[in-house]
Structure formats: structure tokens, C-alpha cells
Amino acid sequence: MTTDITDKIIYTAKDFASDQDIRWCPGCGDYSILAQVQRTLPSLGITKEKLVFIAGIGCSSRFPYYMDTYGFHTIHGRATAVASGVKIANPDLSVWITAGDGDLMSIGGNHFMHLLRRNLDVNLLMFNNRIYGLTKGQYSPTSERNKITKSSPVGSPEYPFNPTNLALGANGTFIARSMDRDPKHLQEMITRTAKHHGTSFLEILQNCNIYNDGAFFLYTEKETKEDNVVYLQHGKPLVYGKNKDKGIKLDGFHPVMVDLNDGVHSVNDLLIHDESSRELAFILSSFVDHAHLPMPVGVFLDIARDSYEETIAKQFEQVYEKGGKGDINDLLKGRSTWEIK
Amino acid sequence: MTTDITDKIIYTAKDFASDQDIRWCPGCGDYSILAQVQRTLPSLGITKEKLVFIAGIGCSSRFPYYMDTYGFHTIHGRATAVASGVKIANPDLSVWITAGDGDLMSIGGNHFMHLLRRNLDVNLLMFNNRIYGLTKGQYSPTSERNKITKSSPVGSPEYPFNPTNLALGANGTFIARSMDRDPKHLQEMITRTAKHHGTSFLEILQNCNIYNDGAFFLYTEKETKEDNVVYLQHGKPLVYGKNKDKGIKLDGFHPVMVDLNDGVHSVNDLLIHDESSRELAFILSSFVDHAHLPMPVGVFLDIARDSYEETIAKQFEQVYEKGGKGDINDLLKGRSTWEIK
Amino acid sequence: MSEEILEKKIKNKKEVESVTVRFAGDSGDGMQITGSQFTDTTAIFGNDLGTLPDFPAEIRAPIGTTYGVSGFQLQFSSKDIFTPGDEADVLIAMNPAALKVNIRDLKKGGTIIVNIDSFEKKNLELAGYEGTPLEDNSLDGYYVYKVHITKSTLEILKDLPLGTKTANKCKNFYALGLMYWLFDRPMEITLNWIKEKFAKSPDLVEANTRALHAGYNFGETAEMFGERYEVKPAEHFTQGLYRNIMGNEALSIGLICASYNTGLKMFLGSYPITPASDILHNLSKHKKYGIITFQAEDEIAAITSAIGAAFSGAIGVTTTSGPGMALKTEAMGLAVMTELPLVIIDIQRGGPSTGLPTKTEQADLLQAIYGRNGECPIPVIAACTPSDCFDIAYEAVRIAIKYMTPVIVLSDGYLANGSEPWLVKKYEDLPKIEVNFRTEVEGFAPYLRDENLARPWVKPGTPGLEHRIGGLEKQNITGNVNYEPENHELMVNLRAQKVKNIENDIPLLKIEGEQSGKLLVLGWGSTYGSITAAMENQKAKGNKVSHAHLRYLNPMPKNTEEVLKSFDKVLIPEMNMGQLSKIIRSEFLIDAIGLNKVKGSPFKAKEIEEKIEEILHGGK
Amino acid sequence: MSEEILEKKIKNKKEVESVTVRFAGDSGDGMQITGSQFTDTTAIFGNDLGTLPDFPAEIRAPIGTTYGVSGFQLQFSSKDIFTPGDEADVLIAMNPAALKVNIRDLKKGGTIIVNIDSFEKKNLELAGYEGTPLEDNSLDGYYVYKVHITKSTLEILKDLPLGTKTANKCKNFYALGLMYWLFDRPMEITLNWIKEKFAKSPDLVEANTRALHAGYNFGETAEMFGERYEVKPAEHFTQGLYRNIMGNEALSIGLICASYNTGLKMFLGSYPITPASDILHNLSKHKKYGIITFQAEDEIAAITSAIGAAFSGAIGVTTTSGPGMALKTEAMGLAVMTELPLVIIDIQRGGPSTGLPTKTEQADLLQAIYGRNGECPIPVIAACTPSDCFDIAYEAVRIAIKYMTPVIVLSDGYLANGSEPWLVKKYEDLPKIEVNFRTEVEGFAPYLRDENLARPWVKPGTPGLEHRIGGLEKQNITGNVNYEPENHELMVNLRAQKVKNIENDIPLLKIEGEQSGKLLVLGWGSTYGSITAAMENQKAKGNKVSHAHLRYLNPMPKNTEEVLKSFDKVLIPEMNMGQLSKIIRSEFLIDAIGLNKVKGSPFKAKEIEEKIEEILHGGK
Ligand SMILES: Cc1ncc(C[n+]2csc(CCOP(=O)(O)OP(=O)(O)O)c2C)c(N)n1
Ligand SMILES: Cc1ncc(C[n+]2csc(CCOP(=O)(O)OP(=O)(O)O)c2C)c(N)n1
Ligand code: SF4
Ligand code: SF4
Ligand SMILES: [Mg+2]
Ligand SMILES: [Mg+2]
């Protein structure tokens, strides 16, 4: 999302740190996300007092306490709805929502999807650790099937959501993914998130080292990362692998992995990423359904559409243009009156 | 969904009509849906006492009252959650949910999407009239942007959901669409819905002749129907039009309409429908985003996946196999005891 | 209409003091329009009046069925009246089902005007009649007039290019015309309304105009009706400009005026629900006053978005009815903990659960006062007449802002859809609602408190005042998260004391009638009209009984205990099983007597009077 | 530990009656394990005991901070005791923050054992100490023992292939060993537990075993401690098999036994929330008893799925805490209207809003009784001790099925996580819960009623009994949708009467102590232990005061009024602002005296005693 910016005040990351002690577990991925947000904000040029961070309940939802901006730690699942009210009533603010996978996709699922279709100009960061952290380790709607947790001692019987698919299904306009352990990429994605006009949804894979340690190590650790992650870049072919020797091409609407060293395929055969296609975004986002395909990170979709608050601002303008602002005594009088003398 | 069936009892549609007077407005599309359900049921061979119809609140949610089966008219938005309990606790039942677009996608959105990902073996019929009927005409989450209603006198500022996209995003396994005014197709779709193992989502375009009359006439009325609707059939090319002279082909992942009489294109160029592809389903389901493409009706997706209740049945079996059923006195004794003499 | 006047048919006009008329027909028969037209005309004519619509829960139930019957009752008078009337003097029944459903509310000896054209086999059967009530003796003791409303309407419209279906829809104006004749009302107001309403189709203007005249003329020329009745304009009205006003409308404009007065944006977060939806509709219509309406995906989003709006410096409002109220209770706790101003409006309806959506009830009082987790005090105020909804809404905004607290407003289906004449307020006469956003950085802390114990309201965007709030227990003054035992107890007490302090800021409880004595009738909410009507009658009978009415339920006026204890007995009539009684008993240890009615409809004055007499004289 | 024993250090064992120990350290220090090991050992040793864990709201707050401190208090005794002890005799503080937070709950003159290794600059600063409390005079009047817990642990493990981090984690067993020595406890139980727990990594078995022994040996060999204490096994226990049991566990097995007894499936619909989640975990673990647990997407789905399960013939259960309870209120109305059996369990915590998630409170009582739209009566029962959670859960199922009604069970964080020895019930001794599904077609109607006013329970799948229910008002007997005034009032009364009837089916309220007199202490829920302890002390002092405890809050036992009115005064101690007081005042017009504590922690017996003495003697 965008908001009026300033180039007068120069901030550093530290300016965004509040005076509160951080109470996450040592080693928690949330620390990195906090750091990247604080590092990115100075470059966005938004004055501090215009920033509002809003969260529900969960480990990740403590985020606002650690930001020296306006902040609201609301109730479980409702951050998106509270944020809607904040933004609509005061469109000048730069509104950020931080939410856990449970907070956003379990109890908060309904407000999540309605926020996306309404396209309010807010930034939504989901800390996906695929677990309920704060309540000490139950499976979440993004936990893998068969996962053993406190509430699923013989394995979770549920199929998880694919968060980016869900966001696409809900008619979102900006959908991206990054990882706590890739600070540079994460900063880049936070910037993109901030710049998009409309609801920006950024899924951040986050390690909960207490209840779901290593959930994303395949994608974040040196040894395995490059062969298992593909970085999406607009207009660029989908190439990945330690030696940049793997690629993805489309076979009709089926994505297939190809070996660029097989003598048959070249970069020219590959799928070119296009951030403006909802259909392509869905194909990419569905890679996770196919075991042999890498995990895409980056911007899946970035399309322009009027924001909700913009639309109603226009409606007000039209009403005022047509009939002017209302006379309050006319309102009191109503349609018809009579005089008692 | 499927359930044990009988071929002993032969029903007629009338057997499924309850003794309650139907209280919908004369002319309401709900009448046709009721009739098609009642006409389809006899062929499914499910004994009456195994049928349960569950609904929330709304005009459409009165449905269970008119069925001479077990029925539960619950509270607004919660039919899917109530149905989950019914089905999990008693998997032998054939569970049907009838819901309005407001009931299911507005207040009930969260339970809707969780039902789909859990894939309970239930049938979900959504009566989409793109309006709140029972509360006398406010816009719903499927109403077009700019729609003028009681609560949007200068037009709705919201972008609607695309229900089939939402269902795809929520990881659904059976997704289909039909129309109140196409009884034959509707019956066919109800049958398919019933046969699918897992959560079956059928969107039914339904005319509310009081608050949103004619919303779907383009697709349902003789003059315009054939040029604006494409019937999806597995393994068949996408052909439509009064003279069967239009088709859809894929240009990369972009669907385009082609004229089969233009001398350039033939049926061989056309997209072949495949009910087993989630990616294709999304492309088809997104036709509505492109003004020049027809409205697809039929089965978008039909894939096999374990149902929730099946999964937990297996879990129970495994637990029993491993340790047998529990001794209740062991439970009372717990981990460690001591004797006072 | 006093009974004697109906006894005989005399020529010419007969003057009567008050009349209660009920229009009844199919949902599609336009009875609500007929009723509200009669109301507008009668109001402008200068009568005092009270109205009560009665909708079915179905949108358009199949034609002719009893559950599809829609009604509209109206009492009008040359003197001061307070209710839509206990029983109808005149019933207009457009079909057999309407007769069937409404006959029980007709005064013995009253008048029935039936649309005889609809009394044929199918409709009689649909209504559940065996045979026709017009021919057996079941209507003995009533004056029954059989009028060919349908046929006559179709007849006079036959040269117009309308289908039968459309022409048929004009028959309510025929009925209305007849009533205008019967009660000697002018037709201009309705004629103008028809012109405006159907501006886009001249044929409909012509058709409805003709129907109205035809009905009127039928009265004039037919020999059927022996006399006309005259209800003179009321004289008790103070001088000034009047309008007719319905409760939900009054509430809406009360909110708008409060927003206007504070200069703040107002944000309504709402999810439609009967009978509260009209507030959403009204406020949506009034965009030119800058009101933002947000139709949320559910009640939880409705209230939490309003809380967000309040956090960002707007007046947050949310409107709903019972089931929606239940859904909002968790979020109310957040508003209490974060001490943000918020107005929560509950237009009560019949419960529990989905209950009786279109019927009235007062059974959400205990929910409003106690229905939240933890110690979670919220001020509760209740409107007592349709026009009082204006004042209550305005007052709610004042309290919310001054005390930085959510405020619950209770109204009900009866007030919401009922109407009465209202001496139009001048905006300039409204009290000023002060708003002081904190902007001073020096010495700021989010949970500092002013003399009312209110914490500062800060608009995000204010430099230097960046701060965080939330639903975990707050440390006194700093607002930081804090779990310390003493701090928690302190904060629980501070929140309670803040709400209690409001008692210093509201009017004392007034006693109507003797200031002490044998019996006080204590009411709250919409029972005001029925109780007041009962009091008038009791006064006339010479019975000594007083009346006090609580508009503030939490906290109550400071003198409440003193008032109650000035009487030997306290009677509390409520449209519930005794919810205010419970509170009064607990607060003041007074053995209040409950008069409880849970029938989805308001008290009749008579019902209250019977109880009063039973208490005063030990039986009726 | 009575004071004299700590006055001097005498060699050898000293026998004492009761001791209260508190273990405190970082969230990562394993204090809960230490506490529960000490508890198990002590229980099996034969003492009576009571425990109280105290968790931080954070998972693992940064090491060394005060908000990361986790505590576990335990009282054990050779006589009958009822609480975890008002104040600790002995405090084990693993770091400065633990000392800082817990010193206020240590008895004056008590003993402090500190892990001296952690008292270095950084930790002292993190705890907010300037300098070290071990060297200023702030701990004067306490016996302070400085033990090198960390260093000694690392030292004896240095030859094992463990990282320092892991080795460091064994230090709680060192502390536990020391305590075992100090109170002369056997080590077998813990040694076995270590073997089982770490079965997969022999190094850890070895490490923890060594640490435990080392701590024990340190006590034995160091000259530091002058004496050991001996708390003899309790003698008051009736013969039989005992176990230690926590409230949430007792509740879970109570539910399972009820399911087993009825032969019905049990369906738990739940959404995790502190402090209720453990019930979900427990029931999920017990799959072999056939319990179905459904982790719902939110609290609304949790309760509505349970309602669906009840409709389909299973026992529907839903568990939650305050904020989740608030979210369920709309659905409770549906269960009331459809008259389905359902058990709703609220493990109360500090409120309002998110409040103090890990602290205890009793402030959901009014919400449980009144917090729904419309007239919506639900039976409410409350457990009074950890083991009583078993009986209450079982009873809830019985009432729900017999009366076809939702039942609310109230427990709280203190009961949920507290534990006590429990004479193990034999399944065969449990009362039978009758279930009669209707199968007879002849004469069936969904809202027929039996002698208890319960309607028939029909399992879908039963031929010929197809019927529909829902949240709209039901017609008496037929269950059809019905909006008629008289029917509505009838149904409201029937639903109320059905719940009221339960009073004929529950035990009378028992008075502990004199059956009439000056003062009755009336309690409900978890105050039972503190009140009972206070009563014992008062009896010892010769003060005349009686105690009655309400396990049934709605309806109350039939003799409640009579009991209350047998005393001049009634004192109601509650961990809220007076919620039961409100109800008692309203129901019986009794001027009950409230003793209210809202500090997130249970009453100390002393606090209740002070109030009793104030009332009895007009001041302490
Ligand atoms: C109404 C309500 N229900 C349940 C809870 C308990 N609760 C708090 S956070 C949470 C889920 C946390 O998971 P997630 O959102 O993924 O955040 P994380 O802790 O993993 O960052 C739950 C169930 C609550 N606080 N309020
Ligand atoms: C908790 C709650 N909120 C709101 C309502 C009011 N309400 C009843 S039905 C409905 C929406 C109806 O729309 P839809 O689901 O599309 O059904 P339709 O009437 O169009 O068939 C609403 C808002 C309610 N009954 N309960
Ligand atoms: S529990 Fe997990 S998510 Fe929560 S703070 Fe600890 S490591 Fe982070
Ligand atoms: S209002 Fe619309 S949806 Fe409802 S019954 Fe009437 S026509 Fe059907
Ligand atoms: Mg999480
Ligand atoms: Mg609809």
C-alpha cells in the first residue's frame, strides 16, 4: 500500500523499535521478521506517526508492541477487521497487519478473505509457522496432514490450506511469499508489499523453534535451499537449482520440471513469470501440490484495482457534487412536517 | 457424497415433500431447486431416514422444512459447521447443506472454506441469488460492484467473490455450477454432487424475483442463453453458441474465444475439459473475469481424496489394532497410583 | 372510537376523541404503505398518534396464507395518547387470512371492512376457514361492511394500459380513499406522494390517483355507511414544527446529529438483521452528511471494524439485534479493555436464538449488562418512545466520548417500527458534545486519566504520541501489558468506577404522579407508552399510582433507590421474564413485583391496569 | 513448616506437619517438571497435598526476565489439607528474576535456596535489581542458602557427550535431588520417570540421573543445611487406591467415563485456548476410548459442530475459556431452542477481553447464567476441587441427556492446573446414565415432553421419525415454526420450567459446621479449598462459622434459601467483583457480604479468615 510519504525525516531501523522488551523465545523466526520490517521502513519514507501496526492474538501478534509506531493488539482473528475500520475511517494512515497462520486462517479466515476482495490499501504479513505457537503447539490450518501435535497425537486428519491459493481464490490483488531466514529477499518483499496499492498479502515462512522446529529448513538452509526454491521474477524464466540448471516449463496448463543440461531443453522453453496473471499465479502457487516442483517465493500476483476506501471517497465526492453537503436541519425535518401554531 | 444405498425402496419425488406449506415468494427460483432435489433423490437410492438437510438462515435456508427427511434449520452461517458435527458423529448419514450466498460466503465464509479443505463427505448446495433475500435486499458478497441495493444506495463499493474460485482456493475436491432455470442440468449436477466422495460444492444461480430479478437471465433465458453459457463436459472441447460455432482455446494460460466458422479454427484447436485438474478448473472458473467469455456451467473439478471422517475412522482402527479398546479402569487409575491400607 | 358512536348509523359526522384503525392484508397488498400514508395525513392533520406495524417473517409468503398477513395499526386522537391503541375500533381486512389473524385484536362491537372479492373458496381455505365467516355467526356483535374493493378498483382502471396484476396492486389506495372519507381526512398528501413515488410512470400515477378517489367517492355515494367520524386536531401540542418519526429513523438522525456536532467522522460497522437493518439503510442514504457505512461480513467484523474506526479517531457505531448482539460480546470486552468510545445498538426482537425475528421483546437486558467474559462493565441506556431514540442515540455518543467507553443502546422492534409525532428539534438547540484529542506530547501516557477517569483519545497520525493498546490487562497509566495481581485489581476497579461515575452526569429519576405512596410502576424501554396510557386511565379512575421510567440502566440515576423506597410496592412490567426485576432486587433488595409478557407484542394499557388494580385492591 | 522448625538449625530430622514449597525459575528451567515430580513422589509417599502451577503468558520469554518466570507451588502434609498453601515455607529460586517475582509469596522467616551461579550482573539487571539482593539487607529475616546448582551440574556431567546447553538443562534435577534430601523423599519414582521419558537417549537418562543424585548427595554431604524435615504420611486418608489428579485431567476422564457409561459416542468440538486446551489434548490422547475430537476453526464452529453431533445422537461437548465462551453464546441459544443435550465447559481465566490468559478468576458466572439473547435458560454447575472436576463432568452429561438441554460447566485456571490426591473411583461404582432414543413411530412429535419436560431424542437414521428442528420459535408439541403470541409465551415458560425442574434431581445444599448461627460462608467453584482451610483454622480458634458450597448455580438446590436464612449473615468470597452475590441478593433478597479478590490468584485462607473475624468481631 502507499501513503503520503516524506523525504524530510531520515529514520534508521532503531527508530522503529519500541521500549518494550521482546518476549519471543530465543531463536524464534519472528525476530528476523521484526528486524527486516524495521530495516525496510526507513526507505519507505512514511512518517512514524502515520504507521499503525495491528494484530490479533498469537506469538506473532505481539509484533505491534515492539514497534515504536501506533499499534493495536486486538483479539484473536480480528486484526483484519479492526484494520479495515482504522483504514476506512482514516485513509491517510499506513496500516500494517501482522498475523499468525492460526490467527489469520483459522479463526480469522472470514475477515481475511473479505479484506482481500474489498482490496483495502493495507499490508498484511502472515507469519506462517504451521503451528499454534502461543497455545503451545496444536496443529494449524497450514500444518501438514498427519502432523503429530498436542491435539493430534496420531496425526492431523486435515488437509492444509495453501495460503497463496486461498488468497487468489478470495480475489486478492497482491500475493507474495518470503522466508524469515532470507533477510534480503524478505526486505525486498516487504518493500513490494508496501508499494502495492490495495491489500497486499505476504506469506512469510517462519520457524517456530519450540513447537515446529525446522519446518522450512528444506527451503531456508544452505544445503538444500537452492534445489528446492525458485525465486519468481517478473518477465524472467523460472530457473533454479544450485547450478541454475533446472527450470519449469508449461505443458498445456501442467507445470513440469526440466533439466537445462539434458541437451533437449533451454531457457527459451521455460515459463516466463508474469505478475499480472491470476491464472498463472494459481499455477505457480499450486506447485506445492506437486512433490517434484520447487517452492516458489517472490511476488505471485500484483494487479491494480481501486481500493475500497478510494471507491467510497469517490462516492462521497459524487454525492457532494450532486447535492452538496447536507443541511442538518433538513435532516431533522425529514420528508414532511406540519406547523402547530 | 456417497452412502449406503438401497434398491429395495422405490421413492417418487413426492415422498420427499414435507407437510409444511412452502413460504417462498411466488416465482422464487428456490422452488425449482427444491423440485429438482426432490426429483433427483429417488434415483440416488438413499433411504429417507438417512437423509439430513441442514441449513443456516436465509430464504434458501428454509429448505429443510420442505423436505420430509431429517432436517436442521440452524443459525446464520453455521450450517456447514453443524453439518460437520452431524457427519463426523454419524458417517452413515447422507448430509446435505443448503445455503444462501450471504449465509455461506458472508457470515459463514470461514466454516465454508474449512469444510472444503477437510473434505467431509457432504453435499453443499449454494443458492446464489447475489442478494440478501430474507433481510429484504442488501448486497451480498457475490453482488456485482456498484450494485444499488438498500444498503448501497449509490452502489456497492465491493468487489464480489467468485464462488468457484473461492472453493478452489480453499482446496475443494468437487466444484460445480448449475442454474435454477435449467432443471435437467440441475438434476444432473445434483446427481454428480451426490456421487462425489468428499465435500461437493454446487453453486446454483438462483433468481430472487423480488430483490434481484433477472440477475441471471442472460444465462437462463432462451434468447441469450446459448451464446453466453458453455456447458463443461469432461474430455470434451469447449464449444458453445446458438449454432455451436464458438469455442474456447488456450493461448498459453490465457483463454480466448474463437469463431469456428472463421476458416482458421476448428474443434481440434479447442481446450478439452479435464475435471481432474485444479489449474484448469481455476482457468475456467476465472472466465467470469473476462467480459467476452461465456459463463461455464457443469463440473469444474472432481478429484478423489480421503474424506475427514474416513481418515479418523482409520486412525481409530490403527489405535485399536495397536492397543485394543481402552480399559476404563486403567483410565481412572492413570499413570501412577498408591495404596492406602 | 368510543363504543356508542358505532352503535347506530346516524347521518353526517360524529365527533370522537380517539380511533384505532388496523389495516391488514397480504404481504403483497401494500398495507404498510396504506398505513404510513394514513399516518402522514393524520399527523399533518394535527392529531396525536401512535403506530405499530406487524410484519410477517417471510418476505412474500404464498398469497392468502395466514403467515403472509401484514398489518399496520394506528391510533389517532384529539388528545394526548401514548400507544398505537390496545384494540382496534376499525379493521380493514383485505382477505380472509387477514381477518382470521386480526380479529382477536378487534374491540368487541368494532367495525370490520372486508374486501368481499377475496372471500372466495380458495382464499377461505388458505386462511383455514371452513365455510365463510361472513355467513356463519362468528362475526355477530361486529359491524361488518362488505366492499368490492378489488372489483371496483379493476373497473375504474380498465381503460388504462395496465395488466390485471398491476391494476390489482392499486386496490390498497381504494381502501385508503374509503378510510379518508370515513375519517374525513384530506387527500392532498397522498396524492402528492403518489405523484412523486411513481414519477417515472404516469400510468401508475393516474391509476393510484383514480383508485384513491374512487374509494373516497364510494364512501360518499354508497348508502352503506351511515355516518363519518371526525377526530379533531389535538390541542395539547406545544407550538412548533412537527413531523412524524419512527424509532429507527430517529435513532439514525440522532447519530448523524451527534457526528455533525462533534465534527468527527462517524463509522457504522453493521451486518443486516431484522429489525435493525433500517438503521444501516438510513445511514447509507445519508451520505451527504458524511456518514461512512461499512456493511461487514458478519457481526464480529461489524463491531471490530467500528472499534478500529474509534481507535483511528472516528465515532464507531455498530447496530444489530439479539443474535448479532451475542456474537459481538467478545469484541465488547476489547473495547472495554482498550477504553475506546463505541456505540453498540441492539434493536431487540423475540428470542432466544433466531426466535421471532419480526416480533418485539425486551429480553436482551441481562445480556447487555452481564453478557461478557470477565468483569466487563458497559453503560447501558434504553429509549422509551420512537422519538426518544433520537435523544438516546445522541446521549450515547456523548457518554462514549466523554468517558472513553463503549455504550450499549437498547431499543426494540416496537419502537424501531412504531412512529409518533415529534416536535422537530433545531440543530442549534442540541447540547455540544466536547471532543478533546490529545496532541500534547509532554507527559503523555495512554492510560492517564482525567477527572472522569477517562483516558486520553489520540488520533493515529499525531506526531510523538505513538503508543500501543490491546486486550491484555494494561498497566495503570503506562498501558503496558501487565499481569501483576495488584495492578489487575486496580484496573478492574478503575474500569468499574469510571462507568459508575456516569451517574453524576445524568438526570435524576423523575416520578410521574405522587412522589411517594402505595405503588410505583417502574418501567424501562418501550413499555413507556403502555404504562403512561395506563396511568392516565388510573388517574381518571381515581387510583393513586405513580410511574418512573429508567432510561439509564447502568449506571442508574443516583436517586433510584430513594425513589423506589418511597413506595410500598414496586411493579415492573417488562416484555421478558423479569430482567429489570432481577437487577432491582439485587441492587436494592426490594421485593419488586414483576408483570411479564413474552408474546412478541407490547403491553396493552389494560393489562397493566389490571395488575395495578390487583395490587391496589387485591384483585380485579 | 511451622515456624519454630526454621528458627534454628539442629542436626538430623525434624518432624513437621505441613510444608509449602515453591519452585521458581525461567520458563526454560523445567520448573513444572520439577514440581510435578516432587508432587508424584510426595503423593505416593502418602502425604496429602495441593498444587498450584503459575505459568507466564509467554512461551519462552527471554531468559532471565521477570515475565519469563515459571513457578510451581505445593503444600504437603501429614494431615488433611485443602490448598497449595497460602505462603511458601521454602522457595527455590533458579535465578534473580524468580527471586524477585516470588519473594512476596514467601512466609516471613522462610527459607530461600538460590542458584548462586545465576546471580551475576546480566541476570540481576534483567530482573531489575540494582546490585544483588544477596548482599544488601533486603533478605534479612529469611534463611538464604546459596547453592552452585549450575556449576555443580555441569561439573558432574562434563564427561558425557552433551553440549553445555543440554547439560545445563539438567540442573532442575539437581535442585529436585536437593529437595528430596531436604524433605527425606524416595527417589525411585523420579528415577523411573527419567528412564521412561528419555528412553530414546541413554545419555540424557544418565545425565538427569546423575544430576538428581548429585543434588541429593550435596544435601547429605555439605555442611550447609543443619537439618532435614520430615512430613509423615497422612493418616486421614480412607483406605484404597489413590492417584494424584489435576482438574483438567479429572474433567477429561469424567467425560470419557460418561461416554463409556452411556455407550454413546462422545464428540468434542474445541478450539485451543489457555487454560482449557489440555482437555482437548487429553481427550485426543484417549482415542482408544472412542472419543472423537474435532479441532474446529474457531469457537463458533466448535460449539455448532458439537450441536450437530448431539443432533445426530452423540454426546456433544465443547471446551473453552472466557473469550471463547463469549463467542459461543449465540449458538447456545440454538441448543436451548432445539433442546439438544450439550456440555459446554468454561475454564475461566482473568478477564475482561484477552485479559490475563494464564491467571485464574471466577468472573464468567454472570455470563454463564445471563449472557445470551432472549430468555435462554441453561443449567450451570461448577467444580470445587481438582478432583471434583470428574464428578461435575459426569453430572453434566447426566443432566444434559436427561433433560435434553445444554449444560454449562464452570471450572477455572486454578482447578484446571492444580492437583490433589484422589481416591480412584471404580468404574463399576459410577451411577448409570440412562439414554432412551425414541424409535417408536406411533404418536411421535419432536416437541412432546416426558415427565421432566424433556423432549424425545431421535437419532437420524431412525425410520419413520424424520423431522425438522431449528432456531425459530417452535410450536408446542409439533415443533413446527410458530410465531403465535400464546405459543411463544408457553414455550418460554416450558423451557424455563424444564431447567428449574432439575432442582428436584440434585442433592440439597449441605452445611459444614453448625446448622444455623451468626455467619455462613457461601462459596462456589474453586474457592472451596481456601474456604475449607479457613474454616479449619477458625474452628481451631473457637470461632463459630459455617460453610456451604454451591456446586449447582442454576438451578440452585431447593433448600438454598432455607440454608441462607438460617444464618444472621452470609459472606460470599469470590474471585470476581461479586457475581454470586448479585444472584443471591436477587433470588433471596439477602444482604450478602461480598469478599472480592480479582488478582488472578486464589484466596489465601488468611484473607478469608480476616474477613470472617471482621464480621464476627467487628474488625480484626
Ligand atoms: C477467542 C480466542 N480463542 C482462542 C484463543 C487462544 N489462542 C491464542 S493465539 C492462538 C493461535 C496462535 O497461533 P498462530 O495464530 O498461528 O500464532 P503463533 O503463536 O503461531 O505466532 C490461539 C488458539 C484466544 N486468545 N482467543
Ligand atoms: C447472527 C445473524 N445475523 C444476521 C441475521 C439476519 N439475516 C438472516 S438471513 C440473512 C442473509 C440472507 O441472505 P442469503 O444467505 O443470501 O439468503 P437468501 O435469503 O438470499 O436466500 C441475514 C443477514 C441473522 N438471522 N442472524
Ligand atoms: S513458541 Fe514458537 S512462534 Fe512462539 S515465540 Fe516461541 S519460537 Fe516463536
Ligand atoms: S425474497 Fe427472493 S429469495 Fe427470498 S423467497 Fe422471495 S424471491 Fe425467493
Ligand atoms: Mg502459527
Ligand atoms: Mg442470497
Side-chain angles (χ1 to χ4, degrees), chain C residues 329-354:
Chain C
T329 57
E330 191 213 359
M332 289 181 204
L334 179 65
V336 166
M337 191 62 111
T338 53
E339 305 192 32
L340 285 169
L342 181 73
V343 176
I344 302 156
I345 295 169
D346 178 6
I347 313 295
Q348 301 163 94
R349 66 188 214 182
S353 195
T354 315

Side-chain angles (χ1 to χ4, degrees), chain D residues 11 110 122 130 503:
Chain D
K11 285 275 163 210
K122 185 168 159 226
E130 311 192 346
E503 69 179 17

Side-chain angles (χ1 to χ4, degrees), chain D residues 247-459:
Chain D
N248 273 351
E249 200 182 350
L251 210 152
S252 308
I253 67 176
L255 290 173
I256 297 173
C257 285
S259 157
Y260 203 87
N261 190 280
T262 55
L264 296 184
K265 277 190 196 167
M266 177 168 281
F267 175 99
L268 173 74
S270 186
Y271 186 70
I273 187 167
T274 307
S277 310
D278 279 338
I279 306 173
L280 168 63
H281 305 160
N282 278 327
L283 293 177
S284 303
K285 246 174 17 203
H286 289 309
K287 276 228 159 14
K288 64 176 163 203
Y289 297 99
I291 306 298
I292 302 172
T293 55
F294 175 67
Q295 182 176 308
E297 56 273 25
D298 61 20
E299 281 84 354
I300 299 175
I303 185 172
T304 48
S305 62
I307 291 172
F311 176 68
S312 82
I315 303 173
V317 181
T318 190
T319 51
T320 190
S321 184
M325 195 68 178
L327 286 169
K328 291 179 198 284
T329 58
E330 191 213 359
M332 289 181 203
L334 178 65
V336 166
M337 190 64 111
T338 53
E339 306 193 32
L340 285 170
L342 181 73
V343 176
I344 302 157
I345 296 169
D346 178 6
I347 314 294
Q348 301 163 93
R349 66 188 213 181
S353 194
T354 315
L356 302 93
T358 59
K359 306 286 174 193
T360 195
E361 202 160 286
Q362 294 184 297
D364 291 354
L365 176 61
L366 291 171
Q367 171 177 247
I369 296 194
Y370 299 128
R372 291 166 291 277
N373 60 301
E375 292 292 348
C376 194
I378 298 185
V380 179
I381 60 182
C384 59
T385 65
S387 66
D388 188 41
C389 291
F390 177 93
D391 299 295
I392 280 287
Y394 199 84
E395 175 71 345
V397 174
R398 181 188 75 88
I399 294 175
I401 292 176
K402 179 160 175 189
Y403 293 89
M404 290 292 283
T405 179
V407 175
I408 293 175
V409 170
L410 295 177
S411 169
D412 61 29
Y414 170 42
L415 294 181
N417 294 316
S419 73
E420 61 178 357
W422 182 52
L423 177 60
V424 174
K425 298 220 182 216
K426 285 210 191 65
Y427 174 74
E428 294 69 29
D429 297 342
L430 296 176
K432 179 73 199 147
I433 301 176
E434 299 290 342
V435 185
N436 296 305
F437 284 111
R438 169 106 191 191
T439 53
E440 207 191 319
V441 176
E442 188 62 31
F444 169 73
Y447 278 72
L448 277 175
R449 291 180 189 279
D450 68 11
E451 66 282 8
N452 303 313
L453 297 184
R455 71 175 195 89
W457 197 9
V458 180
K459 248 195 174 135

Side-chain angles (χ1 to χ4, degrees), chain D residues 162-180:
Chain D
L162 305 166
T164 317
K165 206 170 145 197
T166 311
N168 194 24
K169 287 215 161 176
C170 300
K171 67 179 181 296
N172 59 328
F173 283 97
Y174 187 98
L176 183 60
L178 177 56
M179 296 312 281
Y180 279 171

Side-chain angles (χ1 to χ4, degrees), chain B residues 57 59-60 76 100-103 129 131-135, chain C residues 272 299, chain D residues 330:
Chain B
I57 302 289
C59 293
S60 38
H76 195 32
D101 43 323
D103 191 69
N129 56 11
I131 199 82
Y132 291 170
L134 191 65
T135 46
Chain C
E299 282 83 355
Chain D
E330 191 213 359

